[in-house]
Amino acid sequence: SAFELGCGHGLPACLLLRESVRRHTDSVVVFSDFNDFVLRDVTIPNALLNVCGLYQQQGNDSVVDSASQVLQKQSVYAGGDWMGLSHKLSNNEVLLPFPLTENRVVDERFDVLLASETTYTTESCQDTAYLMFKHLKVDIGVGLVATKRFYFGVGGGADAFAQAADKVSESSQSHGLSLVVRTIQSYDTGNANIRDLLEVRLVKK
């Protein structure tokens, strides 16, 4: 199972959905964005196009119908604020459906949790770390956070996220678990802000 936070076009989650179809697994991919209209007008059409493209490559005769069935069975589109969504996941509440999708309850913890440009302020770093802590599978789940090294003037960035991960791990609510963050790739063109790809794991202390 996979979850993309603040997905927008949802390209990383689309790749995971395509791979699930290609490998004939039934993994569920959750696309989440604060704005419902982004999910409706951008994310869902993009996911449909991506799965259609895969079926076209495979020579499927009913591309749109097959892709629509995949979206119904293997994808969820969740709008709203992060903490509200986290509350729904933690309490096994049904995520609201969008066209082409079914009502469903999804597991609270995920194998893969993706986030890009969600660490732009100190507060958003804390929220992202909290969601990783609450919704990654213990020991086996992997979080990937794409972020700028610094967000000048607003306090976010790779270091701020690592500090937020330490803070949530040291809280009284950690229950013997800890977030471990490491940089697995840095991108430095020499003429722009350095970007980092961070790996996040939730492990027992």
Side-chain angles (χ1 to χ4, degrees), residues 1 15 73 88 101 115 122 127 149 163 185 193 199 202:
S1 60
L15 175 62
K73 296 177 181 178
K88 288 181 178 180
T101 67
T122 302
D127 289 346
R149 181 75 55 87
Q163 292 170 8
Q185 185 71 52
N193 198 337
E199 178 192 78
L202 181 63

Side-chain angles (χ1 to χ4, degrees), residues 42-92:
V42 178
T43 314
I44 292 176
N46 198 31
L48 185 62
L49 285 171
N50 270 269
V51 178
C52 281
L54 177 63
Y55 280 131
Q56 284 180 330
Q57 293 173 6
Q58 296 176 343
N60 190 304
D61 293 330
S62 53
V63 170
V64 176
D65 288 344
S66 297
S68 297
Q69 290 176 14
V70 167
L71 264 63
Q72 283 186 328
K73 296 177 181 178
Q74 293 183 238
S75 66
V76 176
Y77 304 87
D81 69 278
W82 299 350
M83 294 302 105
L85 179 57
S86 176
H87 179 80
K88 288 181 178 180
L89 290 170
S90 297
N91 290 279
N92 295 319

Side-chain angles (χ1 to χ4, degrees), residues 8 27 38 42-43 53 56 74 89 121 129 137 146 165 168 181 186 188 196:
S27 299
V38 171
V42 178
T43 314
Q56 284 180 330
Q74 293 183 238
L89 290 170
T121 65
K137 287 185 177 178
V168 73
V181 180
S186 294
D188 185 2
D196 293 318

Side-chain angles (χ1 to χ4, degrees), residues 1 109-113 132 135-144 178-180 199-203:
S1 60
R109 294 191 179 273
F110 296 86
D111 298 293
V112 179
L113 216 165
M132 293 279 174
H135 301 297
L136 269 178
K137 287 185 177 178
V138 179
D139 291 331
I140 60 173
V142 178
L144 294 174
S178 178
L179 283 178
V180 177
E199 178 192 78
V200 185
R201 291 185 178 270
L202 181 63
V203 300

Side-chain angles (χ1 to χ4, degrees), residues 108-169:
E108 177 183 3
R109 294 191 179 273
F110 296 86
D111 298 293
V112 179
L113 216 165
L114 305 169
S116 178
E117 301 290 348
T118 63
T119 59
Y120 45 85
T121 65
T122 302
E123 292 76 15
S124 65
C125 286
Q126 294 169 354
D127 289 346
T128 302
Y130 176 82
L131 285 163
M132 293 279 174
F133 189 88
K134 288 287 290 184
H135 301 297
L136 269 178
K137 287 185 177 178
V138 179
D139 291 331
I140 60 173
V142 178
L144 294 174
V145 179
T147 178
K148 293 175 183 174
R149 181 75 55 87
F150 304 105
Y151 290 84
F152 295 102
V154 288
D159 291 342
F161 174 74
Q163 292 170 8
D166 289 340
K167 184 176 180 179
V168 73
S169 299

